[in-house]
Amino acid sequence: MSIPDDYSISRRGLLAGGAVSAAAATVAANPEAEVAPAKPVRRPPTARVSFEVNGTAHQLELDTRTTLLDALREHLRLTGTKKGCDHGQCGACTVIVDGRRINSCLSLAVQHDGDRITTIEGLGLPGKLHPMQEAFVTHDGYQCGYCTPGQICSAVAVLDEINAGIPSHVTANLTDAPKVTTRELRERMSGNICRCGAYSNIIDAITDVAGVKA
Amino acid sequence: MKSFTYERVDTPAAATAAFARNAGARFIAGGTNLLDLMKLEIETPAHLIDVSRLGFDRIEATGDGGLRIGAMVRNTDLASDARVRRDYGLLSRALVAGASGQLRNKATTAGNLLQRTRCPYFYDTNQPCNKRKAGSGCAAIGGFSRLHAVVGASEACIATHPSDMAVAMQALDAAVETVDAAGKTRSIALADFYRAPGTTPHLETTLAPGELITAVTLPKPVGGIHIYHKVRDRASYAFALISVGAVVQPDGSGRVALGGVGYKPWRVKAADAELPRGAKAATAALLAGAKTSHENAYKLPLVERTLAGVLMQAKG
Amino acid sequence: MKFDTPATDNPIDRLKVVGKPTNRIDGPLKTSGTAPYAYERHDVVPNQAYGYVVGSAIAKGRISSMDLRAARAAPGVLAIVTAASAGKLGKGDFNTARLLGGPDIQHYHQAVALVVAESFEQARAAAALVRVQYTRAKGSYDLAKAMDGAVKPPPAFGTESDTRFGDFDSAFASAPVKLDARYTTPDHSHAMMEPHASIASWDGDKLTLWTSNQMIAWSVGDMAKTLGIPKENVRLVSPYIGGGFGGKLFIRSDAVLAALGAKAAGRPVKVALPRPLMTNNTTHRPATIQRIRLGATTDGKLTAIGHESWSGDLKGGGPETAVAQTRLLYAAPHRMTAMRLAVLDLPEGNAMRAPGEAPGLMALEIAIDEMAERLGMDPVAFRILNDTQVDPEKPERPFSQRRLNECLQFGSELFGWEDRNPEPGVTRDGRWLVGMGVAAAFRNNLAEKSAARVRLDRHGMVVVETDMTDIGTGSYTIIAQTAAEMLGIPLDQVDVRLGDSRFPVSAGSGGQWGANSSTAGVYAACVKLRTAVAEKLGLDPADAVFEKGKVRSGGKSVALAKAAADGEIVAEDFMEYGDLAQKFQQSTFGAHFAEVGVDAITGEIRVRRMLAVCAAGRILNPKAARSQVIGAMTMGAGAALMEELAVDKRFGFFVNHDLAGYEVPVHADIPHQEVVFLDEVDPTSSPMKAKGVGELGICGVAAAVANAVHHATGIRVRNYPVTLDKLLDKLPDVA
């Protein structure tokens, strides 16, 4: 794999499989296609970022525009985190950063320098699933599976949020510690849309893990 | 999304200096609204200054018994703060009525105040929008306007401000503390923070270019019963059709602010004075001069009814 | 194998594996994020470039000029595809609008270009630099205005546009109790969580497309037709699909543009439709205007049923068949139905979960509720009274199974219907007005030809291959259950491979035919494999019993694996169907019950309880089937209370074209849902004796919710969605 002189050898370049070098061959291979003319390679601004994903340290040199979601999916190839809307409207991209769940689509990767990120793959993999993943399987808390990693990351974080005493829209009394109730779970999970409509089963799965009666 | 350069700064002075140095610079903290808009090229900063690690993430008591909320305090942390829950319940309630748990974990106090409208025509860059592109026209007027403003709008723009938190802040007489490139600080009453659309709906606040929000202050607690009623079609994770935030005292006096009706969290001092006379009187003052379309006329009775419900609830 | 006489006893009836509420076999992959969806296939081909779609800024007209210079010069750009550069393209049989527009524009956000670049960020930025000048043409965007010019459409899905039976006009005119009401349903968006996405790679003139698609064989054909290449040169791979609901029955612009982009760039290209583009770029469920006329005797017998529906679509499109269920659901001697189609220049209307019945029942089942109210009858009793056991338009033709009344009766017992105060608007829970509603569910059963290949290896492992898809329906699991049952082996000895056009052609996922049809195809292949195995083992295929990993016959018992000791045994077959569906009307039935609370002050509506009782043939996996039904109930609740694509009637597009603007239910909207399946087998449907449930589940839900809102408030809303602004002026006064 040859890397053009003006293209720094970055983690991205290596991981993405030498995309740049192959581009040069394109022009010759398809003379009739409408191909961009040869031009000086203008490099979009990049920035270096280091963070830990599922316990593994990563150093990346990224186009500054890269979201945390795309850094995970396209650069680290951790595709368990899903892109459903890319605009913070569905929750499929939910990951846990330093113990808090966020929408990774609305977060620039370069802003996460030094952060510890947990994705669905970090919770558990086939053969060694996290209890929440097991519960989703048992209760059939998913159908197409596309929102599922986000639902599970959210569910894990939601139980922590309730434990930490963070109030929600349906918490009856702001000065009391919130409890794990189906009402609380439904409100708190509402940032994760499931168009297949597995909600009823998802709440059953979470209450099962939380050890409370649905 | 257009390319941009990025830097992270450690001090407010570095932040404002970076702004002065770079044409087309913007501050970014939580990014939940800015990045959304950048993806659609509604926002096209050439340089992003990451102010998320300036240390403005504390909530402190002020000398006069109020609270100073750091600009970068996350919505979740603000809603969960014991003092806020005890003394400024309206704020806590408004925060947890907004967005989703994931977004509240990221969104900051300053960013929440600065979030831009959710008007679908603003979001669709094929459509004319005076707020997005000055002078291009307004597609919302005469279009799908069920969610749009009924007060304070202009011939150029009928967009609403989407924040729930800001409604509570408005009712609680919050002020915005800022610092500019010269290091000069000032405090802007939230009541003076948002600009009416007039003929320039693209100008939304009274902040000067490069002026950085450092904190939001709340005066000392006012007691009373705090209620935030957000009305929406979907039970959660939706912007308000309208919302009513109120603090009601045992004698029936109090204060009220509305969301989803105008370009800013809507408060009319005269309406506060009418509160003891009930929802009809207060609403008449709040929505005086309202202009509605066929699609959003329902907001008028809805505000009145919701406020009536809030007052009933406050009575217990 | 041909299925032309009702099924008798067969190995499936043992129900050792089939019929059990087994966990899905793809569960560990889906819950760990390791099930690969189309856009994520980093593993299949190296050197993938990124494509980004540019959508038309106008709804109708022409591109007058396109300036690609800035986009071409942008960093990382490899190629740009436009109609001008793509060469001659065909149009797929299942597409109404072209998937790459230009110079003529047929609808808003129709794709007009694909920009291919090294990275996603570069492609997206360069796409924004494509400058297009348009000449706008006048279009038709308002169904209410266009309905007067609507015409009688040709038969759709074999369904005539108009039917008449008896003398509707006289019967309606003379009926002592009458209803004549108009209902509207808005445009709906599938809004599946995974955007349409494809990776295309060319090897010479052969195309491989990793995509997200419900119907592999249809789409191979349409890709070939669109690109003008032989079908044999197209391979489609779609093992995991992040939701479809009818929105992925066909190839869409992502697939065609990925293929064209890959050709232009000379390397693999991946394309996902950006969420804000999806709504207008792809298909939707068309809005309807429906007129329903009912006539009845004073004791509640329907004498006349009339149902007319108007919908719109692009020129060349079809109607929303909203009157379909009315031809079959209730008895009445005099009947008429009619569908009219207007030309609208909105994006393409097409199938969405239970096309026809879903919006049709949204109207019909309110009308039935209104009629019961006029008659002073209980809405459950009124429905039961007007049951029919034969096709009302062809009385000589019985239903194969019809247990609607049992669904209604059992459901009302479970739901506590008898506690319901018949008077609307009087039941209170604090500030909430509380109401209960009911609706019948009805969806026809369709059985489609479906093939599969089964391989047995020397370890006794069985591999099933079929191009069937699993769009969240549970196909992997029920197919594994079917093979395990047929071959007498445990579920974990079956490996199911789906969604690859190299596999035998299945029924695919649509029209709720997938479960019964695809497993029947696997049944056929397994029958063939059983014969081959028995013969190989020297046993009599006619009486061989496959059980516990062994094959028994004539006192002999041999391990199944032994048959493949010296080489894999492969069997392939298909199931096709005779005329049983003509002799018997095969349908699925159910009853939906909903309880809502309506805030007496603000009019906010929240669903408090939901129950569905379904009778839909054998339930192959009650756990997965229940999920299909609760999911459909959720979508139905959305249709009742919030879902509406807002049409900008000036510019001709759906304004709320993202997931913030087009609200679908979230967790907080949905209570615990109960689902009951009546014990039923339908020997006329297939050897599986099963039918579908995935669409039945949505049919009637919205009306049950709307009827509950009426019961809670006394307010009848006939225009969906039922939102608070339609209640406010009729709610009790607030002090």
Side-chain angles (χ1 to χ4, degrees), chain A residues 16-38:
Chain A
V20 174
S21 58
T26 301
V27 180
N30 287 279
E32 288 168 13
E34 186 165 341
V35 166

Side-chain angles (χ1 to χ4, degrees), chain A residues 7 12 15-27 29-30 32-37 39-44 63-67 70-92 120-127 129 132-149 151-152 170 183 185-204 206 214, chain C residues 22-37 39-43 46-48 50 68 70-82 84-85 118-122 124-125 188-195 240-245 262-267 270 274-276 278 352-353 470-473 623-632 634-635 638 643 658-674:
Chain A
Y7 206 90
R12 184 236 175 278
L15 278 170
V20 174
S21 58
T26 301
V27 180
N30 287 279
E32 288 168 13
E34 186 165 341
V35 166
K39 64 195 168 206
V41 177
R42 277 190 288 130
R43 205 171 49 154
D63 185 318
T64 51
R65 294 170 291 188
T66 312
T67 59
D70 286 326
L72 292 169
R73 282 171 64 84
E74 304 303 327
H75 297 267
L76 300 179
R77 301 192 173 182
L78 287 168
T79 53
T81 308
K82 304 302 184 194
K83 185 184 280 191
C85 71
D86 215 17
H87 288 274
Q89 303 163 352
C90 78
I120 189 69
E121 294 94 339
L123 289 179
L125 291 169
L129 295 179
M132 191 64 80
Q133 292 168 319
E134 293 276 13
F136 269 63
V137 174
T138 306
H139 292 276
D140 214 37
Y142 60 93
Q143 290 172 39
C144 80
Y146 201 76
C147 75
T148 312
Q151 299 276 357
I152 292 172
V170 300
R183 189 147 186 265
L185 292 175
R186 283 187 198 117
E187 163 59 25
R188 290 167 191 267
M189 289 298 295
S190 286
N192 291 86
I193 292 177
C194 171
R195 184 57 160 163
C196 294
Y199 296 134
S200 187
N201 289 352
I202 292 172
I203 297 301
D204 287 350
I206 303 172
Chain C
T22 312
N23 288 345
R24 289 170 201 244
I25 60 173
D26 47 340
L29 293 177
K30 282 182 174 174
T31 57
S32 64
T34 49
Y37 296 80
Y39 196 77
E40 302 165 354
R41 301 304 298 267
H42 294 290
D43 56 318
N47 205 23
Q48 298 166 15
Y50 293 78
L68 304 178
R72 244 186 233 134
V77 170
L78 302 168
I80 300 177
V81 176
T82 66
S85 70
E118 292 289 350
S119 75
F120 171 70
E121 292 76 20
Q122 290 172 331
R124 180 178 56 192
H188 286 155
S189 184
H190 307 84
M192 69 294 276
M193 298 315 296
E194 181 205 20
Y240 292 95
I241 296 132
F245 315 113
K263 188 132 235 170
R267 57 191 268 203
K270 61 183 198 174
R275 179 64 64 175
M278 271 173 72
M352 178 170 151
R353 199 173 203 165
D470 188 330
I471 63 173
T473 37
K623 188 177 274 198
R626 178 179 177 280
S627 284
Q628 282 292 289
V629 176
I630 67 168
T634 301
M635 199 177 271
E643 293 187 33
D658 61 22
L659 285 174
Y662 184 80
E663 291 184 2
V664 301
V666 296
H667 275 279
D669 292 296
I670 302 300
H672 182 76
Q673 295 163 320
E674 296 287 349

Side-chain angles (χ1 to χ4, degrees), chain A residues 88-176:
Chain A
Q89 303 163 352
C90 78
C93 66
T94 304
V95 298
I96 302 171
V97 176
D98 293 337
R100 298 177 152 222
R101 56 180 173 143
I102 63 162
N103 297 122
S104 61
C105 75
L106 287 188
S107 207
L108 289 173
V110 294
Q111 285 197 282
H112 287 281
D113 201 49
D115 287 351
R116 278 178 306 114
I117 296 150
T118 303
T119 70
I120 189 69
E121 294 94 339
L123 289 179
L125 291 169
K128 207 184 170 187
L129 295 179
H130 184 281
M132 191 64 80
Q133 292 168 319
E134 293 276 13
F136 269 63
V137 174
T138 306
H139 292 276
D140 214 37
Y142 60 93
Q143 290 172 39
C144 80
Y146 201 76
C147 75
T148 312
Q151 299 276 357
I152 292 172
C153 284
S154 229
V156 168
V158 157
L159 294 181
D160 289 342
E161 287 168 14
I162 295 175
N163 275 335
I166 293 168
S168 86
H169 175 60
V170 300
T171 305
N173 192 332
L174 278 178
T175 51
D176 292 347

Side-chain angles (χ1 to χ4, degrees), chain B residues 66-233:
Chain B
L67 280 187
R68 174 177 285 105
I69 301 155
M72 308 314 160
V73 171
R74 308 282 165 173
N75 288 176
T76 298
D77 297 326
L78 183 54
S80 308
D81 183 88
R83 290 159 294 185
V84 174
R85 286 156 77 173
R86 188 188 62 214
D87 298 331
Y88 305 93
L90 179 59
L91 177 56
S92 197
R93 286 287 181 205
L95 279 160
V96 296
S100 68
Q102 292 96 310
L103 289 162
R104 294 193 295 269
N105 277 342
K106 195 127 196 309
T108 64
T109 307
N112 192 316
L113 290 177
L114 292 173
Q115 64 180 305
R116 306 196 68 190
T117 185
R118 300 287 165 163
C119 171
Y121 295 97
F122 171 74
Y123 264 78
D124 188 334
T125 51
N126 292 326
Q127 305 303 321
C129 171
N130 290 317
K131 189 182 270 302
R132 179 170 19 83
K133 192 173 175 208
S136 61
C138 173
I141 296 173
F144 170 60
S145 59
R146 181 170 181 258
L147 309 171
H148 287 78
V150 293
V151 283
S154 73
E155 298 290 305
C157 184
I158 57 169
T160 58
H161 194 271
S163 172
D164 292 295
M165 183 198 78
V167 176
M169 294 281 198
Q170 190 81 291
L172 295 169
D173 288 329
V176 179
E177 292 189 347
T178 68
V179 61
D180 69 9
K184 199 166 136 270
T185 61
R186 64 166 174 156
S187 176
I188 310 164
L190 195 60
D192 303 325
F193 186 72
Y194 296 105
R195 296 168 64 138
T199 56
T200 55
H202 59 293
L203 304 175
E204 294 174 351
T205 70
T206 51
L207 290 176
E211 189 173 4
L212 177 70
I213 299 177
T214 54
V216 175
T217 56
L218 295 176
K220 67 175 199 252
V222 295
I225 301 213
H226 290 227
I227 297 170
Y228 187 73
H229 193 133
K230 178 175 184 176
V231 183
R232 42 192 165 178
D233 297 319

Side-chain angles (χ1 to χ4, degrees), chain C residues 297-332:
Chain C
T297 59
T298 50
D299 58 355
K301 276 280 194 187
L302 285 168
T303 52
I305 300 178
H307 191 166
E308 296 152 87
S309 174
W310 290 260
S311 61
D313 201 358
L314 290 166
K315 204 171 166 198
E320 180 68 25
T321 54
V323 304
Q325 72 290 322
T326 307
R327 296 170 180 169
L328 291 161
L329 190 49
Y330 295 111

Side-chain angles (χ1 to χ4, degrees), chain C residues 168-169 172 179-180 291-295 304-306 308 336:
Chain C
F168 172 81
D169 296 329
F172 181 71
L179 172 84
D180 182 352
R291 181 189 188 193
I292 296 179
R293 284 175 288 172
L294 301 175
I305 300 178
E308 296 152 87
M336 65 81 64

